[in-house]
Structure formats: C-alpha cells, structure tokens
Amino acid sequence: MSLRDRRRAAATREILDAALKQIVERGPAGLALRAVARDLGMTVQALYHYFPNRDELVTALIVEAYDDLTAAVRAAVDHPARPGDPAFIAAAEGFRGWAIANAARFQLIYGTPLRNYRAPDDGRTTGAAQRLAVVVCDALFAGLGADRLSRMELPPMSAGLRERFDRLPAEAIGALPPAAGALFVSVWGHLHGLVVLEAFGHTDFLAPFQAEIFRGAMRDLLAGVHRRLPG
C-alpha cells in the first residue's frame, strides 16, 4: 500500500471513529457530517473527499457494524464461552453479547430506520446482513444434511410462500429447502426479538437475569427445531 493510500485509510478510519462517537453520544439520528468534520478539525468539503454524502458514511458504518457482529458470532461458535454448547446456542449468545456491548451500533442496524437514509443499490448493506444470516443459519442446522432438512415436519406452506423461498438468493438462506428456510426465519425472529427487547432497555426489570432467560429461550428454540426433524 502506498503512502497516499495509507494516509487515506487512516483519515477514513478517523472519520468513522468520530461518527461512531457521535452515534454513541446522540444516537444514530444525531449523526451529522458538519459535527463530524468539526470534531476532526476539518471542513465539510474536505470530508466529502472521503464520503461524498451522509448516506455513504452511514452505509460504511452499517456494513462495518454487520461485519463486526458477524465476526463476533463466528468467534462465539468457534470458541464457545461454555465448552460443549451447541453451535446455535453459542451463536445466539455471541449475537446477544455483541448487541449489549455495542447498543448504539446495534440500534443503527436494527433500530428505527434513519430518516432520509437510502441504502445503496449495489447491495453492500444487504450483503452484510446476508453474511450474518448465513453464520447463524449454519449454526442452527449444524450437522444436519439437506435430506433431513427437506423432510422437516412443518405446517403446510402455500404455493406462493414456497415459491418465494425458492427465489431467495443462494448466498443468503436460499440454499435451504423452503421448509427449513421458513423455520429459520421463525427462529431468527424469536432470537432477534429477545435481544432487541434487552438492548433497548425493555427487559431491565429482569436484571440481572436476562442472560438466564435468553439462554433458556434459545435452548427451547433449538429443541423445537430438532423435534421437527425426521428420524
């Protein structure tokens, strides 16, 4: 990497860190390019050389948050906090742990959509979300073959819903049989919902037992998945 490239990378990192500081202090909706430039002692025009508009800066923050969350979930699966935990339990607890430790960044990707923000058409944000989904999905169905997944016992699916799952991109959960894809969406909704409640302060009344509640719920979800498997 040339000196010029290193300097640009360092400046980009400073801008992202200053923007993250704003998000932590003011929430995602409080992010403003002028304030970021002021904190760094630079003009807005100079900042535009790195991020031509607010949407580009927000997009970079979203993709980085997803990638960091994905890395945390993958690390939790590879090195469970409790040796012997099933991969899905480890993944779920890795997801929860990152969300609680990075509440402002979690709110950026899963909270109220930012007003006037438009995600890029090139798929950077959706691709980042898909990478996370793949890690969680692989953990949920770890060790289960495609044949068993295709014969899962689930309520009948409408032809339209089955067709929708068939059309999903393979790089997300489209490689799953439709029944398994539908089950993953349901499990993901339960997992995500509990974490959102805690990360946004709605289960503070359960402190310090949120982790116990969450772990029990995840074990129940996993047991429910296995009950649906043939043989």
Side-chain angles (χ1 to χ4, degrees), residues 39-201:
D39 289 348
L40 293 173
M42 63 193 304
T43 65
V44 176
Q45 287 71 25
L47 190 152
Y48 286 154
H49 289 298
Y50 302 92
F51 296 98
N53 52 56
R54 175 176 171 270
D55 279 3
E56 280 297 312
L57 178 56
V58 171
T59 294
L61 292 168
I62 289 174
V63 171
E64 187 171 73
Y66 270 123
D67 287 346
D68 286 354
L69 174 53
T70 301
V73 174
R74 186 178 288 113
V77 173
D78 292 341
H79 306 285
R82 303 188 191 193
D85 265 353
F88 173 69
I89 302 301
E93 293 197 333
F95 183 89
R96 173 184 174 270
W98 188 93
I100 302 307
N102 300 273
R105 299 176 76 195
F106 186 76
Q107 185 177 358
L108 174 67
I109 55 178
Y110 288 122
T112 303
L114 286 178
R115 187 176 182 182
N116 298 323
Y117 169 69
R118 177 187 171 92
D121 295 330
D122 58 19
R124 275 174 287 167
T125 53
T126 53
Q130 287 171 357
R131 290 191 290 274
L132 171 62
V134 168
V135 175
V136 178
C137 188
D138 286 348
L140 178 63
F141 297 128
L144 304 178
D147 178 64
R148 293 185 74 195
L149 291 180
S150 67
R151 293 185 290 117
M152 297 187 79
E153 297 178 5
L154 286 172
M157 299 174 65
S158 68
L161 180 57
R162 184 175 294 275
E163 181 184 357
R164 176 61 58 87
F165 275 102
D166 283 336
R167 292 205 311 265
L168 289 177
E171 60 269 20
I173 62 172
L176 291 172
L183 183 58
F184 171 75
V185 171
S186 176
V187 169
W188 172 250
H190 284 80
L191 185 165
H192 180 262
L194 276 177
V195 174
V196 166
L197 287 175
E198 183 175 357
F200 295 171

